[in-house]
Amino acid sequence: SRAAYVGVTLCIVGGTFVVALSVQSLGLVLAVVGATASTTLCYILPGIFYIKMFEDDAGVKKTAAACMSVLGVALMIISLAAIFAFGSSE
């Protein structure tokens, strides 16, 4: 509905505004976005899509897809930990 659309839009704009005012370094924001978005798009989602598309198929490819998704989650966690532990390079 229209009210839900306006509410979601205001939440997104308000959240972005709060982040923009509170963050000192744009490099940190870009590093977090890169760590989450790139690993999700490159590792996690393709594996999940393969598993969902070929649910009846049981084999090495399905196992490899599951491993790729799990390793993608691990890579995301490691990347975020490194960003927050060592900071972003500016």
Side-chain angles (χ1 to χ4, degrees):
S1 73
R2 178 84 173 148
Y5 172 77
V6 171
V8 169
T9 302
L10 287 175
C11 286
I12 292 172
V13 171
T16 305
F17 183 72
V18 168
V19 169
L21 288 178
S22 63
V23 173
Q24 298 282 330
S25 169
L26 183 60
L28 178 65
V29 174
L30 293 176
V32 170
V33 169
T36 55
S38 64
T39 55
T40 301
L41 291 174
C42 294
Y43 296 105
I44 299 169
L45 289 180
I48 291 172
F49 290 158
Y50 184 86
I51 291 169
K52 293 302 280 182
M53 288 174 56
F54 301 102
E55 287 180 313
D56 299 333
D57 185 27
V60 175
K61 288 183 181 180
K62 193 169 182 180
T63 303
C67 289
M68 184 174 78
S69 294
V70 169
L71 290 175
V73 171
L75 182 63
M76 181 188 300
I77 292 169
I78 292 168
S79 298
L80 289 172
I83 289 168
F84 289 121
F86 304 116
S88 63
S89 59
E90 296 181 27

